[in-house]
Amino acid sequence: MAGVKTPRLPAPDSAPALRDDLRAAAFTADGCLDLLGAVAYAALSRAETVPALRATRGDGPLETLVRLFLLQRPVPYAAARAALPGLDGYTADGWLLRDGDEVRATVDVRPYAGDGGADWWIVSDLGCAVGGAGGIGGAPGVDRADLVLGVGGASTTLAGLTVREPVGSALDLGTGSGVQALHAARHATRVTATDVNPRALHFARLTLALSGAHEPDLRRGSLFEPVGDERYDLIVSNPPFVISPGSRFTYRDGGMGGDDLCRTLVQQAADHLNDGGWCQLLANWQHTDGQDWRERLSSWVPRGCDAWIVQREVQDVAQYAELWLRDGGDHHGDPAAYAARYDAWLDDFERAKVSGVGFGWITLRKTGAEVPVITAEEWPHPVEQPLGPHIAAWFARQDFLRRHDDADLLDARFTLADEVVQEQVGLPGAEDPEHVVLRSARGMRRATKVDTVGAGFAGVCDGTLPAGRIVDAIAQLLGEDPVVLRDRTPGSIRMLVEQGFLDPVTEPMAGPGTGAVTGDVDPRL
């Protein structure tokens, strides 16, 4: 706005001292939950501040810091000084602003529970902690197009999806406030973070400095342009994936037509991955009339990569436009301007013959396989987070199945995965069930229908006998021809392995619940 001075961004120099003061006051994720209680803490995620204001009526250091940083209210200088012994240094470095007898925050500093129970803090623009007290608002004197958002549901989802194995190099493409770079710093020797917004790069530097992580290699630019032909073991991205007419907001609008930004990111990823490397990202994609979305997205996958594409949600074009118009605050403005923007959104979708927009995640692994495994599926059901270990296990199972034909599967040994139960479904009092269901409480929490042979096979898999021996025993028990049963059972075994109900024990498998023995396999798995 005209006449409003843009405050200077904080310098990271005093971040270590500020971190010590925040920790001493218990301004951590656990500390704030203990102070506010579950009701007020949950209300903050709905942009409701009254319960938190009631819970911070005291004058203790933690109450002061919650009002200052989470509720973004001015606090008395004396209270701020008591909560932050290094207050004058933080004011000099631009973290705080003194106005007479009051102190205000210049940035949003939000506690975040890090990997392994670490205390981290995410720094973003005021009013831009996604789902936080201020919602997505606007910082004084800052063009809303350049605002940097804090941690939200998308950020935490991607963090939980990411495979957390030790790697030499990681790239956070479109880093924003630095959430993914912060996670990567825990298991990558070298972290590169990029963004088109120089303001975002500065906030990423503040986030990592305040959380005690090594500063990443920060580079400005779009997509892979800032990294040239460099390759990485891990690429993560929560890109500006919103499909919108124009490019109003840097943090969400990719500036390309339709879902071209996400498509381009996927298609170019293989050129920037080391062998065995991972690329994991969130994305939106169009549902186009006359084309199956699974086929469309599968065509994006670059040569030499396995891929697992999961659609979590689909919105019709009107729902989608309304969601992002509300995000932009258009519903609070001029009704005519709102209607015009809404109309422009629907015009774009109509021209492209788009009936809906999907949201989900895409994971690539560069295997170099001549016959890649590409799976695109819809899964709107609850999953277990963090899902990263289970994603790694899914790709490892695809490697196993690719290397084992039907005869090999019958020679292999398997164990039933952890927390798999059997359910029998049928009419009350019936002698036999109509069908049997295996259900897993881990990972994707899948359920699958199996026949009597499949249920019996899974139930006795404890790793001691080859699959073929088990099939022969089931054939004898059921009075079936063992040759016929051996011919048709490998398909069921393959399905149970692919979906994670059975774990091979003939070679090591990634992920939880895998009592494996050593074999000849890529050590990265």
Side-chain angles (χ1 to χ4, degrees), residues 443-495:
M444 297 291 282
R445 295 175 174 159
R446 295 187 187 276
T448 190
K449 188 188 299 185
V450 294
D451 59 14
T452 303
V453 174
F457 180 87
V460 299
C461 279
D462 61 3
T464 59
L465 291 175
R469 291 273 301 279
I470 297 175
V471 172
D472 292 344
I474 292 175
Q476 183 177 6
L477 183 65
L478 298 178
E480 294 196 25
D481 185 338
V483 176
V484 174
L485 204 59
R486 275 177 170 258
D487 283 343
R488 67 181 177 89
T489 301
S492 297
I493 297 175
R494 196 171 294 275
M495 180 273 292

Side-chain angles (χ1 to χ4, degrees), residues 332-377:
H332 292 311
D334 176 23
Y338 174 85
R341 287 202 171 108
Y342 198 151
D343 203 40
W345 225 302
L346 296 183
D347 277 346
D348 266 18
F349 285 138
E350 185 176 346
R351 279 192 295 269
K353 298 182 178 180
V354 174
S355 58
V357 178
F359 168 80
W361 62 71
I362 299 173
T363 300
L364 309 177
R365 185 162 186 265
K366 189 172 182 179
T367 62
E370 292 185 9
V371 182
V373 176
I374 301 175
T375 297
E377 62 176 322

Side-chain angles (χ1 to χ4, degrees), residues 254-280:
M256 295 185 180
D259 51 22
D260 282 354
L261 183 136
C262 293
R263 176 183 56 80
T264 302
L265 200 163
V266 171
Q267 290 178 337
Q268 295 180 357
D271 293 335
H272 299 276
L273 285 175
N274 290 322
D275 291 341
W278 302 89
C279 175
Q280 299 186 264

Side-chain angles (χ1 to χ4, degrees), residues 410-474:
L410 292 173
D411 286 338
R413 291 174 292 127
F414 301 91
T415 59
L416 190 66
D418 291 343
E419 297 187 43
V420 173
V421 297
Q422 175 179 304
E423 300 173 356
Q424 295 186 353
V425 181
L427 293 174
E431 183 175 348
D432 296 313
E434 293 180 15
H435 58 264
V436 178
V437 173
L438 297 182
R439 188 178 302 277
S440 173
R442 305 298 308 277
M444 297 291 282
R445 295 175 174 159
R446 295 187 187 276
T448 190
K449 188 188 299 185
V450 294
D451 59 14
T452 303
V453 174
F457 180 87
V460 299
C461 279
D462 61 3
T464 59
L465 291 175
R469 291 273 301 279
I470 297 175
V471 172
D472 292 344
I474 292 175

Side-chain angles (χ1 to χ4, degrees), residues 72-336:
Q72 294 163 12
R73 304 297 177 94
V75 301
Y77 175 82
R81 184 63 181 269
L84 299 169
L87 175 62
D88 292 340
Y90 313 142
T91 303
D93 271 357
W95 293 90
L96 301 164
L97 180 66
R98 183 174 181 180
D99 184 10
D101 292 332
E102 291 185 330
V103 174
R104 295 176 180 270
T106 63
V107 292
D108 186 301
V109 176
R110 197 150 298 252
Y112 180 63
D115 297 334
D119 291 323
W120 292 343
W121 293 268
I122 309 301
V123 187
S124 63
D125 269 312
L126 293 173
C128 292
V130 181
I136 301 174
V142 180
D143 187 336
R144 195 174 188 282
D146 296 328
L147 289 174
V148 178
L149 272 58
V151 63
S155 302
T156 55
T157 294
L158 180 58
L161 296 174
T162 304
V163 176
R164 298 293 174 198
E165 60 186 22
V167 294
S169 57
L171 170 64
D172 178 10
L173 193 152
T175 189
S177 56
V179 178
Q180 308 307 325
L182 180 57
H183 280 280
R186 290 293 295 264
H187 65 103
T189 303
R190 176 174 61 88
V191 178
T192 301
T194 69
D195 207 290
V196 296
N197 186 358
R199 188 176 181 84
L201 295 176
H202 190 89
F203 273 106
R205 177 179 287 110
L206 296 177
T207 290
L208 270 73
L210 189 58
S211 300
H214 294 297
E215 180 172 324
D217 178 5
L218 300 170
R219 306 184 193 181
R220 182 183 179 187
S222 178
L223 293 174
F224 292 104
E225 180 272 329
V227 301
D229 58 358
E230 294 178 41
R231 294 175 182 263
Y232 298 87
D233 301 312
L234 171 67
I235 298 171
V236 291
S237 184
N238 179 14
F241 51 65
V242 176
I243 300 170
S244 58
S247 182
R248 294 175 64 197
F249 306 122
T250 306
Y251 67 83
R252 71 171 206 194
D253 302 319
M256 295 185 180
D259 51 22
D260 282 354
L261 183 136
C262 293
R263 176 183 56 80
T264 302
L265 200 163
V266 171
Q267 290 178 337
Q268 295 180 357
D271 293 335
H272 299 276
L273 285 175
N274 290 322
D275 291 341
W278 302 89
C279 175
Q280 299 186 264
L281 66 142
L282 305 182
N284 276 182
W285 45 78
Q286 298 176 153
H287 282 228
T288 305
D289 292 346
Q291 186 173 16
D292 189 296
W293 73 269
R294 297 169 182 83
E295 294 178 1
R296 187 166 178 271
L297 266 68
S298 295
S299 71
W300 292 2
V301 177
R303 189 185 183 101
C305 288
D306 286 354
W308 187 14
I309 303 165
V310 180
Q311 180 169 272
R312 298 287 288 159
E313 180 183 4
V314 182
Q315 290 185 315
D316 64 46
V317 292
Q319 288 176 308
Y320 190 79
E322 291 162 12
L323 170 67
W324 295 108
L325 285 166
R326 288 194 300 270
D327 173 81
D330 296 284
H331 59 309
H332 292 311
D334 176 23

